[in-house]
Amino acid sequence: MNPWILYPALVVAGYSGIVALCITLYTLPVVSIRTIGAVGRRIGPLKSGAHDPRAVPTATTDPAHSSYWTHQLRVDALSWVRAAGTTIRQLLISRWLGTNARNLLCGRRPSTPVGRRSGRPSEGAVAATVLVLTGPGYGVGALIGTSAAAVLLLLITLVFALLLGLVGALLAAAALTLRTLDRMSQWGRRVRMKCPYPGCYQPIDLPVYHCPGCPAVHRRLRAGRLGIFRRVCVCGERLRTSLLLGRHTIAASCPHCSLALPRLLGTTRIVHIPIVGGTSSGKTMLMTAMFAGLRSWSDRGQITVTYATDEDRSELRRLKGQLNQDGWVHRTATQQPRAMMLQITRGRTRRLLYLYDPMGETFQDSVVVREQQYLAHADGVVLVADVLAEPEVRRELGDADNQKAGGARPSPEGPKDTYDRLAGEFSALSGRRAKTPVATVVTKRDVLDQLTSLPIPGARVDDWLGAIGLGDLVQSLSHDFGATRYWAVSAHAATGAGALDGESRRAAEPVLWLLSRTGLPVKPLLTSEAAKR
């Protein structure tokens, strides 16, 4: 080949290669930096709930903003791709190839605006030739540098996508873990959430939580796509999504009846204890005496008793007012009662006590007894026995004792009839009759001690019941139900202005014994006879 042609060609090729290399080294970091900068400006807002015109709100059942990782991230990822493509296209095609390389090939300086026919007037033929020879190397270098930067950015994007996928998987695992831990915590502590209100008594899978910052309600406040550890309400309030993180501190209501629930619900095992007895058998007085006894033990520092809601505090205050004014508590007037709720704590163990006090007429009709759905959740039963209402007992009384018994306003129905209806329907409602403990409490002990026709109740109340003709009731209790214990209590002596502290604590023993059956360590507070079983 002619050297006069080869050498200049080699010089031109070498010059173009050097230019291409320089432009490649220049465009590679420029493309990378500017693309990353453009992508960075498209990220966000990172704060959940902040307005973003790019994001279309997702349909949610709760008034909360979607988590960044479950919704906003997808919007940002699409914006990243578009921003990167736009930046690379503008730099390569519009600027470097479409303007700079084109000007060089035409013998003009790169900065010359498109549309001008020539460069500066001072440019000569030599300068124009150099510019023309620089054009190919400039174009090739820009293309190579941009391509290399694009490949590098693609690799970074893939790595970043893998990291985001890993983060998403970890967050999904965290949500599942939080849900599982909540379930296991409730299962391990045998926590079964139930509504305490009449006409409902429904099991509760998840309460409805009320935002403290606005009237919004959240029906599915748990770890998920609206937030793993916290979710953001539409008002901006941050709500915890797990019991382990303190979700129970948020005001909640029943999803079935919409009535307020105690804040302890879901964190503490509930113990359901209905008080069963006939009309005027002394159920409500006994319940008041039980509360007085629990308060007495609390004052001694043996247990801690707190009201679950302000409504419970008001109801007990009302009962005390009736006692102070009339000397007795008015009888219950509702067939389906609201549970009185107290938190009982001893050491590190606590229980949420649901105590039900239905009207006595409830247990005079089997159909009405069947409607008492709270019996299906009962962990124990307090059976109130007004023995003065039993015909067999009244027949054994003399005239003077009959007058005293009449002054005690005995129930129109004996405890055996009440028990028969309870036992029959309880088995159908609960299915756990043979495992359910019963604390039988003989009421009106102050009157019984005054009767000369009957023996005085001793330490073994079950033996005393057999002695006065109620042995079949004792046998039925032992046969039909689980563990049984017996007490004889004077509610009048345990409540009111002249209450005896020892009698108040004794009145609380049936509840404490039933609580001890659920694992609350209160057996040391019981009398030796009561603690045997």
Side-chain angles (χ1 to χ4, degrees):
M1 188 174 181
N2 191 340
W4 294 101
I5 299 176
L6 177 62
Y7 292 150
L10 291 175
V11 171
V12 170
Y15 175 73
S16 298
I18 293 172
V19 171
L21 177 61
C22 293
I23 297 301
T24 299
L25 296 177
Y26 166 76
T27 56
L28 176 61
V30 170
V31 171
S32 302
I33 293 173
R34 294 196 179 184
T35 302
I36 292 174
V39 168
R41 288 190 292 272
R42 300 299 193 278
I43 297 176
L46 299 178
K47 183 179 179 181
S48 297
H51 176 68
D52 185 0
R54 302 169 301 165
V56 178
T58 57
T60 59
T61 57
D62 284 359
H65 298 285
S66 297
S67 170
Y68 176 82
W69 298 99
T70 59
H71 179 63
Q72 185 69 38
L73 177 61
R74 295 196 298 271
V75 176
D76 280 344
L78 184 59
S79 297
W80 300 346
V81 174
R82 290 175 177 172
T86 300
T87 302
I88 293 174
R89 184 175 62 253
Q90 288 177 345
L91 288 174
L92 177 63
I93 297 177
S94 300
R95 180 176 176 183
W96 292 330
L97 295 183
T99 299
N100 296 356
R102 180 180 177 182
N103 284 335
L104 289 171
L105 291 174
C106 293
R108 296 190 294 265
R109 295 193 177 192
S111 58
T112 303
V114 178
R116 288 185 56 178
R117 291 182 174 273
S118 63
R120 296 181 179 180
S122 59
E123 294 174 355
V126 176
T129 302
V130 173
L131 292 175
V132 170
L133 295 176
T134 304
Y138 187 97
V140 172
L143 182 61
I144 294 175
T146 303
S147 301
V151 172
L152 177 62
L153 291 172
L154 179 61
L155 293 176
I156 293 175
T157 302
L158 291 176
V159 173
F160 192 53
L162 290 175
L163 292 177
L164 289 179
L166 178 61
V167 171
L170 291 176
L171 290 175
L176 181 61
T177 300
L178 283 176
R179 291 190 186 189
T180 303
L181 289 176
D182 279 348
R183 291 291 185 184
M184 291 181 62
S185 175
Q186 292 180 336
W187 177 80
R189 289 178 291 179
R190 301 180 65 182
V191 174
R192 299 177 311 217
M193 294 186 288
K194 303 292 190 305
C195 179
Y197 294 100
C200 187
Y201 305 128
Q202 294 294 319
I204 298 173
D205 178 59
L206 188 66
V208 174
Y209 290 94
H210 299 257
C211 176
C214 70
V217 294
H218 297 257
R219 298 186 175 275
R220 308 299 295 175
L221 183 55
R222 60 184 182 183
R225 64 189 183 92
L226 297 181
I228 306 302
F229 304 104
R230 285 177 175 81
R231 75 163 52 168
V232 180
C233 181
V234 289
C235 69
E237 188 76 23
R238 293 183 176 273
L239 308 177
R240 297 170 182 175
T241 59
S242 170
L243 291 173
L244 300 177
L245 301 176
R247 184 180 64 193
H248 60 281
T249 60
I250 305 173
S253 61
C254 176
H256 307 289
C257 66
S258 301
L259 295 177
L261 296 172
R263 292 179 183 260
L264 294 172
L265 194 72
T267 63
T268 305
R269 179 178 175 181
I270 302 174
V271 179
H272 303 264
I273 300 179
I275 302 177
V276 177
T279 305
S280 298
S281 60
K283 294 188 293 81
T284 307
M285 281 289 293
L286 176 62
M287 184 180 70
T288 308
M290 288 175 174
F291 289 145
L294 292 173
R295 178 57 60 189
S296 176
W297 282 116
S298 180
D299 293 341
R300 288 170 168 258
Q302 298 295 325
I303 59 176
T304 301
V305 180
T306 55
Y307 300 102
T309 66
D310 291 336
E311 190 174 352
D312 298 301
R313 187 192 307 273
S314 300
E315 178 63 18
L316 289 179
R317 193 174 297 164
R318 184 186 67 82
L319 294 176
K320 290 180 180 179
Q322 291 180 0
L323 270 173
N324 295 333
Q325 180 179 352
D326 303 329
W328 67 83
V329 176
H330 300 171
R331 70 179 186 175
T332 306
T334 56
Q335 285 186 349
Q336 294 191 348
R338 171 191 176 276
M340 294 291 293
M341 295 174 285
L342 294 176
Q343 179 187 342
I344 314 294
T345 306
R346 181 172 171 84
R348 296 185 178 181
T349 308
R350 66 184 180 186
R351 295 289 182 266
L352 182 58
L353 175 63
Y354 278 22
L355 204 59
Y356 302 90
D357 178 27
M359 62 187 297
E361 290 82 356
T362 299
F363 297 95
Q364 294 179 0
D365 188 337
S366 298
V367 176
V368 180
V369 174
R370 202 172 301 128
E371 296 174 353
Q372 310 304 304
Q373 293 300 318
Y374 56 86
L375 292 175
H377 313 314
D379 297 284
V381 176
V382 174
L383 177 63
V384 178
D386 182 6
V387 298
L388 298 177
E390 194 64 42
E392 296 180 13
V393 176
R394 293 295 294 271
R395 284 195 294 266
E396 299 297 325
L397 301 181
D399 293 339
D401 286 347
N402 255 317
Q403 291 181 358
K404 294 178 182 179
R409 296 182 299 175
S411 174
E413 183 177 71
K416 289 196 295 185
D417 293 335
T418 302
Y419 171 79
D420 289 339
R421 293 191 193 92
L422 169 68
E425 300 302 329
F426 190 89
S427 179
L429 286 169
S430 172
R432 297 179 288 109
R433 189 178 71 177
K435 297 181 180 180
T436 304
V438 177
T440 302
V441 182
V442 175
T443 54
K444 305 176 182 178
R445 170 71 183 265
D446 51 334
V447 177
L448 292 173
D449 288 344
Q450 300 175 20
L451 303 181
T452 59
S453 305
L454 298 178
I456 296 176
R460 293 299 301 262
V461 179
D462 50 345
D463 294 340
W464 176 80
L465 288 172
I468 65 173
L470 294 178
D472 52 348
L473 175 62
V474 175
Q475 292 179 358
S476 297
L477 280 166
S478 301
H479 178 268
D480 297 336
F481 285 87
T484 57
R485 286 298 301 127
Y486 298 85
W487 286 265
V489 173
S490 171
H492 277 286
T495 56
L500 301 175
D501 201 38
E503 190 67 13
S504 297
R505 293 196 299 275
R506 179 169 175 79
E509 283 194 9
V511 171
L512 291 176
W513 177 72
L514 291 174
L515 288 171
S516 72
R517 305 285 302 181
T518 69
L520 189 69
V522 292
K523 275 193 175 184
L525 307 183
L526 305 177
T527 59
S528 58
E529 183 63 30
K532 286 181 179 179
R533 308 179 190 181

